[in-house]
């Protein structure tokens, strides 16, 4: 006698995943790792530095970094500043600011689901957020303070609007126009350019072309109004900042001089960055080759090619800009999930279960080495990489990691047979691995990546009485970190004011003539001289010679 349906459902989740199952998995994926560590070098530190300046000084119209104007589009910084202010009672600013990245990521996954539902139907739509969140490159940027996430959200919303242009032209055009305007506020004009010919293509495919084109022209007005809400006050209140912003935009639009090199870099990046969306998109192209002229297939193909052209021509082949290639790849890959042959689907599923179970085991063994010094040799290697680190047992983090591991074991043992089981196991396994890294390994990773101790040592080395600090070869992320941690600000050595400073801070630069080194420091893993920071004091004899009427040789 077969069990009633209620009892069968208790054995495991249903596939395709229901709304609540999908929402819980994605929320766990998104918000794990946003907190619990300091700002890290590059985009994370720079973004938090700008937000810190914004919240502290209240200059929401114009952005600045460590006291210096930072002409960039403001949307992500505004949202991060808002979350930083709202959650200041609970979290430090850098962690509260990263919640904005979580919000944009959540919206991007929601919009890509809606776009896939319009293009491919309700049954296949859950594969879209699983594929986007499961892309390896997306994992890294979704958990840092990253302005490109706001642009990614705008792209996914735009695809949703264009996908419904034939069925609900007014709502689709309004959604597209809002996405276009907010995307400009997120990262400027260049990242939004590929959406314009894609929109014209979608209107041409519409049953009523004339009406669709008129709606899209109206959507441009919506976009212009949203952009003007910032540009207008900027023109009246800070024309110099606006001029610098447009100068940067025009420099991008003039294009780079290495498009072929950028293309080669992206082609080398995408096989792992866009896994598993890329191979599934390739399979969908082959399996649905007779449907390539239909909108569900043609729109993502065109969007991918135009976005690729924009990146290699204007934006540069960086990991952050490659995020914009993921939505069209995902929309193309969705039908590839359901059409994958049984043997390939089973092989993909077994690969996922074995791979992430193995990675989970490695994560636990590595944690044991960090905290309990077992295995001993592995613990010694970890301490050699980050000298001075002392692992400590945290009951809450360990319990959370155990719970995640048990849920993974339950999931792979009870998931029913379905074409979507492979991608579900991939996404769940990736979430488990990220959860284990965030709960077990984060103290060790943060110890090696944070500049907080370096900033504190630098602040201690600075004399109480000083005129100013000049800087040479300091990246924006370092300027942001020192300002955020200890309020240390510098002036560029090439500026008129910086040339008169009595202190000089350098990073990996040769010893300058006429300066005496008073301090050197770096993170525990910074062993090369190029990785370390040096603080110099102006040589007294040189300073006297440079003064009018000083000693002559």
């Amino acid at each position: 006698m077969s069990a009633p349906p209620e009892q069968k459902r208790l054995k495991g989740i249903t596939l395709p995943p229901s709304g609540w199952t999908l929402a819980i998995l994605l929320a766990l994926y998104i918000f794990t790792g946003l907190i619990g560590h300091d700002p890290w070098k590059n985009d994370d530190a720079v973004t938090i530095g700008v937000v810190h300046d914004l919240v502290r000084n209240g200059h929401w119209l114009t952005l600045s970094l460590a006291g210096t104007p930072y002409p960039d589009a403001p949307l992500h910084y505004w949202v991060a500043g808002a979350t930083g202010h709202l959650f200041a009672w609970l979290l430090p600013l850098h962690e509260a600011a990263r919640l904005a990245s979580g919000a944009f990521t959540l919206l991007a996954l929601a919009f890509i689901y809606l776009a896939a539902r319009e293009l491919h139907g309700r049954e296949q739509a859950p594969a879209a957020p699983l594929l986007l969140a499961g892309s390896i490159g997306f994992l890294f940027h979704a958990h840092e303070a990253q302005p490109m996430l706001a642009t990614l959200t705008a792209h996914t919303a735009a695809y949703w609007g264009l996908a419904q242009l034939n069925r609900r032209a007014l709502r689709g055009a309004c959604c597209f126009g809002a996405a276009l305007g907010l995307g400009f506020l997120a990262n400027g004009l260049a990242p939004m350019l590929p959406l314009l010919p894609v929109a014209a293509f979608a209107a041409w495919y519409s049953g009523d072309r004339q009406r669709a084109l008129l709606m899209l022209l109206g959507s441009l007005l919506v976009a212009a109004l949203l952009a003007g809400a910032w540009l207008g006050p900027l023109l009246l209140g800070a024309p110099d900042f606006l001029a610098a912003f447009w100068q940067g935009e025009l420099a991008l639009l003039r294009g780079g001089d290495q498009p072929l090199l950028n293309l080669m870099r992206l082609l080398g990046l995408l096989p792992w960055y866009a896994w598993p969306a890329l191979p599934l998109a390739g399979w969908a192209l082959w399996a649905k080759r007779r449907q390539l002229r239909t909108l569900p297939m043609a729109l993502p193909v065109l969007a991918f090619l135009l976005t690729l052209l924009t990146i290699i021509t204007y934006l540069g082949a960086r990991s952050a800009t490659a995020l914009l290639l993921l939505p069209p790849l995902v929309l193309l890959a969705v039908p590839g999930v359901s059409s994958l042959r049984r043997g390939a689907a089973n092989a993909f599923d077994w690969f996922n279960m074995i791979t992430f179970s193995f990675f989970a085991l490695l994560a636990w063994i590595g944690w044991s080495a960090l905290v309990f010094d077992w295995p001993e040799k592995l613990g010694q290697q970890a301490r050699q990489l980050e000298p001075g680190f002392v692992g400590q047992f945290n009951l809450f983090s360990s319990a959370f990691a155990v719970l995640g591991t048990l849920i993974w074991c339950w999931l792979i043992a009870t998931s029913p047979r379905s074409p979507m089981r492979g991608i579900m196991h991939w996404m769940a396994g990736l979430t488990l691995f990220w959860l284990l890294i965030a709960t077990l390994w984060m103290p060790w990773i943060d110890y090696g990546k944070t500049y907080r101790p370096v900033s504190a040592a630098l602040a201690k080395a600075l004399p109480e009485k000083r005129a100013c600090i000049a800087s040479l070869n300091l990246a924006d992320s370092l300027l942001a970190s020192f300002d955020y941690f200890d309020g240390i600000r510098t002036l560029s050595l090439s500026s008129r004011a910086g040339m008169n400073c009595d202190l000089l801070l350098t990073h990996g630069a040769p010893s300058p003539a006429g300066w005496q080194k008073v301090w050197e420091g770096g993170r525990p893993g910074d062993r090369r001289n190029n990785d370390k920071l040096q603080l110099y004091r102006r040589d007294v004899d040189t300073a006297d010679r440079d003064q009018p009427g000083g000693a002559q040789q």
Side-chain angles (χ1 to χ4, degrees):
M1 183 175 181
S2 62
E6 291 78 5
Q7 292 182 9
K8 287 185 178 180
R9 195 173 290 114
L10 291 176
K11 292 182 179 180
I13 65 171
T14 57
L15 291 176
S18 62
W20 280 111
T21 302
L22 187 62
I24 293 173
L25 176 63
L26 293 177
L28 186 64
Y29 165 89
I30 292 168
F31 292 103
T32 299
L34 287 176
I35 63 175
H37 65 86
D38 282 337
W40 289 348
K41 195 174 179 180
N42 297 327
D43 289 350
D44 189 59
V46 172
T47 304
I48 290 171
V50 174
V51 173
H52 168 64
D53 211 310
L54 183 151
V55 171
R56 183 173 64 178
N57 299 321
H59 298 158
W60 291 74
L61 186 61
T62 60
L63 305 175
S64 57
L65 176 65
T68 303
Y70 193 77
D72 197 5
L75 181 61
H76 187 276
Y77 305 103
W78 284 348
V79 177
T83 58
H85 179 73
L86 289 174
F87 293 96
W89 60 276
L90 180 64
L91 298 170
L93 177 63
H94 61 274
E95 295 184 351
R98 283 198 205 98
L99 296 181
S101 295
F104 281 119
T105 300
L106 191 62
L107 287 172
L109 295 174
F111 285 132
I112 201 69
Y113 170 82
L114 294 171
R117 191 174 67 179
E118 288 289 334
L119 292 174
H120 303 296
R122 188 178 295 273
E123 286 296 317
Q124 298 187 61
L130 293 176
L131 284 168
L132 180 57
S135 299
I136 297 175
F138 185 74
L139 173 70
F140 297 105
H141 295 300
H143 298 93
E144 66 177 355
Q146 175 55 258
M148 192 57 73
L149 290 172
T151 312
L152 175 76
T153 303
H155 273 235
T156 55
Y159 293 137
W160 177 46
L162 296 177
Q164 55 186 324
L165 198 60
N166 186 41
R167 190 168 63 90
R168 295 179 177 177
L170 179 59
R171 191 175 78 170
C174 289
C175 179
F176 177 76
L180 204 62
L182 293 175
F184 171 81
L185 292 178
N187 233 301
L189 184 60
M192 309 310 293
L193 289 179
L195 294 178
L196 298 177
V198 174
F201 178 80
W204 184 79
Y205 255 86
S206 175
D208 190 343
R209 295 178 184 174
Q210 184 176 2
R211 182 169 183 264
L213 286 172
L214 288 175
M215 289 293 178
L216 285 179
L217 289 176
S219 72
L220 296 180
L221 179 60
V222 174
L225 289 174
L226 287 172
W230 175 60
L231 296 176
L234 204 59
L235 177 63
L236 297 175
D240 292 341
F241 187 93
L242 178 60
F245 171 76
W246 278 119
Q247 186 177 2
E249 290 295 296
L250 293 175
L252 276 180
L253 294 177
R254 281 194 290 268
D257 56 354
Q258 296 179 323
L260 291 179
L261 180 60
N262 288 333
L263 178 61
M264 296 303 296
R265 288 175 177 173
L266 281 178
L267 293 179
L269 177 74
L270 284 177
W272 67 265
Y273 188 95
W275 179 274
L278 183 63
L280 287 171
W283 167 251
L285 282 174
W286 172 256
K288 306 289 183 180
R289 57 189 180 277
R290 296 181 180 178
Q291 304 175 21
L292 288 181
R293 293 186 178 182
T294 62
L295 185 67
M297 298 297 293
L299 186 142
V301 169
L302 179 64
F304 175 80
L305 294 176
L306 290 173
T307 304
L308 179 65
L309 180 63
T310 301
I311 290 175
I312 65 175
T313 305
Y314 302 120
L315 302 179
R318 298 191 305 116
S319 178
T321 58
L323 284 172
L324 302 182
L325 293 171
L326 293 179
L329 270 180
V330 165
L331 292 176
L332 186 59
V334 166
V337 175
S338 58
S339 62
L340 200 62
R341 293 176 180 174
R342 180 176 296 181
N346 288 337
F348 180 56
D349 186 29
W350 276 102
F351 171 79
N352 298 337
M353 289 188 290
I354 294 173
T355 298
F356 285 110
S357 297
F358 176 69
F359 283 165
L361 179 63
L362 288 182
W364 278 109
I365 293 174
W367 171 78
S368 174
L370 291 174
V371 176
F372 301 111
D373 203 26
W374 184 89
E376 185 177 354
K377 290 186 177 180
L378 187 60
Q380 291 175 355
Q381 292 177 353
R383 286 192 296 273
Q384 288 176 0
L385 291 174
E386 302 298 347
F389 175 79
V390 178
Q392 295 182 349
F393 178 79
N394 185 297
L395 180 61
F396 176 79
S397 297
S398 304
F400 197 52
V402 169
L403 179 61
T405 306
L406 292 177
I407 292 175
W408 165 252
C409 295
W410 168 78
L411 181 67
I412 63 176
T414 60
S415 295
R417 292 186 178 275
S418 166
M420 207 167 289
R421 185 170 70 172
I423 189 60
M424 183 67 184
H425 282 165
W426 172 271
M427 176 58 194
L430 191 67
T431 301
L432 170 69
F433 182 67
W434 177 246
L435 184 147
L436 294 179
I437 294 297
T439 54
L440 303 180
W441 281 68
M442 191 61 76
W444 182 80
I445 298 173
D446 190 43
Y447 177 84
K449 294 181 74 70
T450 180
Y451 273 92
R452 186 186 293 271
V454 181
S455 180
L458 174 61
K460 188 177 180 180
L462 291 173
E464 294 184 5
K465 295 182 179 181
R466 59 182 185 272
C468 60
I469 309 171
S471 61
L472 177 63
N473 201 37
L474 256 65
D476 285 345
S477 57
L478 292 175
L479 298 175
S481 297
F482 296 145
D483 180 45
Y484 179 72
F485 290 129
D486 293 286
I488 301 172
R489 292 186 171 183
T490 65
L491 301 171
S492 174
L493 183 62
S494 60
S495 66
R496 184 179 298 272
M499 293 174 64
N500 296 322
C501 290
D502 54 345
L503 295 171
L504 173 64
L505 183 63
T506 69
H507 181 231
S511 300
W515 296 85
Q516 181 181 1
K517 185 189 294 187
V518 295
W519 174 85
E520 183 177 75
R523 296 173 298 182
D526 293 340
R527 295 176 176 84
R528 299 180 303 174
N529 290 331
N530 290 340
D531 295 329
K532 294 184 178 181
L533 292 138
Q534 297 85 22
L535 179 67
Y536 296 91
R537 183 177 61 237
R538 189 183 293 275
D539 187 82
V540 177
D541 294 337
T542 303
D544 290 340
R545 288 196 299 270
D546 292 340
Q547 293 297 325
Q552 301 294 324
Q553 295 294 330

